[in-house]
């Protein structure tokens, strides 16, 4: 099996490296030559674009791209997958996009005899690096089974969710929950500080109870230390919440908590914090209250 990988950003580069570590034959393409050089040094082959990857013999293409327009361009555009005019290959799109767009792209590819899985991931850069991402997959079950081991080379968990588009439905549900959880962690710790109680001790007191969560343990220490280095950028979470709002409105579903968190993140973006980690939500509360929970700050 020869794998073509398109998109070598914060998430894609370590994911592609984990495929190499697992022994797969990987050909990569991205806009940054320095990243191509780094990947070639790690054992990958280089290509100009997705079409070139297929012409070099890749029978599965993995994409890890910012949003729907980029996925559509690589799948359907000039020098893309469809442009290679080769049937029998498979696209595994691990980007987080609108599930409606996943279905649209999949239908176009199917007309040319090309299969597709939508397989977005959760876990951020640390889990991309150590190969323990959670992957949510939509598409044909037999295609999922065929490429399960490939996806597991980058993940700690790979779960089949349903037909094409279902992976991105699961990812959007994940992002809705994560945004709301980070928001309430920031709110609760700021409440503790403003009430005169050490927020770090509050965190330690509650983390073993019902309020304990992966989000609490991942983000509370970052908030308390003033560490806003991404992980997962506010701008990307805004993208996901935009897709969640669009998808929910398409099925006439009200999502008030998601909508509120979108407004919070827009406030952060307006303060030029879009490139910060989403734990930066705590700054929204800092600006509202005049209270910082960062250790050694009053």
């Amino acid at each position: 099996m020869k794998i073509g990988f398109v998109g070598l950003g914060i998430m894609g580069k370590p994911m592609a490296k984990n495929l190499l570590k697992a022994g797969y034959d990987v050909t990569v393409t991205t806009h940054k030559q320095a990243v191509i050089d780094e990947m070639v040094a790690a054992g990958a082959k280089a290509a100009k674009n997705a079409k070139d990857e297929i012409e070099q013999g890749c029978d599965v293409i993995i994409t890890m791209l910012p949003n729907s327009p980029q996925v559509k361009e690589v799948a359907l555009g000039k020098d893309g997958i469809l442009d290679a005019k080769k049937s029998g290959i498979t696209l595994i799109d691990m980007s987080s996009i609108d599930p409606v767009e996943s279905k649209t792209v999949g239908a176009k590819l199917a007309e040319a005899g090309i299969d597709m899985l939508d397989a977005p991931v959760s876990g951020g850069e640390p889990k991309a690096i150590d190969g323990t991402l959670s992957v949510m997959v939509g598409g044909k079950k037999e295609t999922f089974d065929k490429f399960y081991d490939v996806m597991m080379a980058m993940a700690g968990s790979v779960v089949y969710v349903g037909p094409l588009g279902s992976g991105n439905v699961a990812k959007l549900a994940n992002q809705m929950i994560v945004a709301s959880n980070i928001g309430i962690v920031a709110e609760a710790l700021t409440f503790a500080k403003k009430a005169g109680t050490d927020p770090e001790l509050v965190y330690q007191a509650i983390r073993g109870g019902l309020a304990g969560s992966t989000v609490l343990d991942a983000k509370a220490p970052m908030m308390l230390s003033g560490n806003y280095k991404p992980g997962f950028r506010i701008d990307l979470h805004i993208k996901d919440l935009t897709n969640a709002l669009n998808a929910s409105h398409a099925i006439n579903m009200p999502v008030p908590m998601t909508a509120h968190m979108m407004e919070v993140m827009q406030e952060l973006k307006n303060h030029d914090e879009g490139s910060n980690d989403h734990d930066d939500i705590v700054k929204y509360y800092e600006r509202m209250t005049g209270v910082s929970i960062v250790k050694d700050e009053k």
Side-chain angles (χ1 to χ4, degrees):
M1 183 185 300
K2 298 184 70 174
I3 300 171
F5 204 106
V6 182
L8 300 171
I10 285 178
M11 300 291 289
K13 184 170 70 172
M15 290 166 66
K17 285 185 175 180
N18 282 328
L19 288 171
L20 289 168
K21 290 175 186 176
Y24 287 103
D25 184 327
V26 181
T27 302
V28 299
T29 183
T30 190
H31 296 302
K32 296 181 179 179
Q33 186 59 46
V35 177
I36 292 286
D37 294 342
E38 179 184 346
M39 292 301 300
V40 169
K45 300 180 181 68
K48 293 178 289 186
N49 47 54
K51 179 182 178 183
D52 188 25
E53 289 179 336
I54 293 168
E55 289 173 346
Q56 289 190 39
C58 294
D59 45 18
V60 55
I61 302 295
I62 296 175
T63 47
M64 189 64 182
L65 298 164
N67 207 350
S68 306
Q70 292 81 16
V71 173
K72 291 176 77 172
E73 180 183 359
V74 169
L76 310 177
K78 186 178 184 299
D79 295 324
I81 294 168
L82 200 60
D83 208 20
K85 296 179 173 60
K86 182 180 178 182
S87 62
I89 60 174
T90 300
L91 167 62
I92 303 176
D93 178 34
M94 304 190 80
S95 320
S96 297
I97 70 173
D98 187 328
V100 175
E101 296 290 358
S102 292
K103 294 176 183 178
T104 299
V105 171
K108 292 281 188 182
L109 293 177
E111 293 173 2
I114 299 169
D115 207 354
M116 178 177 173
L117 297 173
D118 67 311
V121 306
S122 178
E125 183 183 16
K127 290 185 178 291
I129 291 170
D130 64 21
T132 58
L133 291 165
S134 296
V135 186
M136 300 142 268
V137 189
K140 296 175 184 174
K141 183 59 164 58
E142 57 267 31
T143 307
F144 168 84
D145 292 338
K146 181 179 179 180
F147 294 103
Y148 176 82
D149 289 342
V150 172
M151 292 182 284
M152 275 300 295
M154 301 172 280
S157 168
V158 177
V159 177
Y160 180 72
V161 186
L164 188 65
S166 300
N168 275 304
V169 169
K171 176 59 188 288
L172 293 182
N174 180 86
Q175 295 303 82
M176 294 160 77
I177 292 168
V178 169
S180 297
N181 277 3
I182 296 175
I184 198 60
V185 168
E187 186 171 296
L189 295 181
T190 303
F191 159 74
K193 181 66 177 282
K194 195 166 179 62
T197 303
D198 186 337
E200 185 168 18
L201 296 180
V202 169
Y203 161 59
Q204 294 296 340
I206 67 175
R207 63 189 296 260
L210 191 58
S213 68
T214 301
V215 168
L216 180 66
D217 281 338
K219 299 304 176 181
M222 292 179 68
M223 294 177 188
L224 291 164
S225 65
N227 175 12
Y228 310 115
K229 178 184 176 183
F232 193 81
R233 297 192 302 272
I234 290 287
D235 283 340
L236 289 176
H237 214 138
I238 287 174
K239 179 264 293 186
D240 287 341
L241 295 189
T242 297
N243 286 335
L245 290 168
N246 289 341
S248 63
H249 294 163
I251 57 173
N252 300 316
M253 162 123 187
V255 283
M257 294 182 72
T258 300
H260 173 69
M261 291 313 304
M262 172 64 98
E263 298 306 316
V264 171
M265 291 190 184
Q266 291 293 343
E267 191 269 356
L268 300 172
K269 187 174 179 67
N270 286 338
H271 283 85
D272 298 320
E273 294 165 12
S275 62
N276 287 355
D277 186 84
H278 45 188
D279 77 307
D280 184 87
I281 286 170
V282 74
K283 288 188 177 180
Y284 170 80
Y285 289 95
E286 183 178 327
R287 282 189 281 271
M288 282 201 303
T289 63
V291 169
S292 171
I293 69 167
V294 177
K295 289 180 285 188
D296 299 325
E297 289 193 16
K298 305 298 181 184

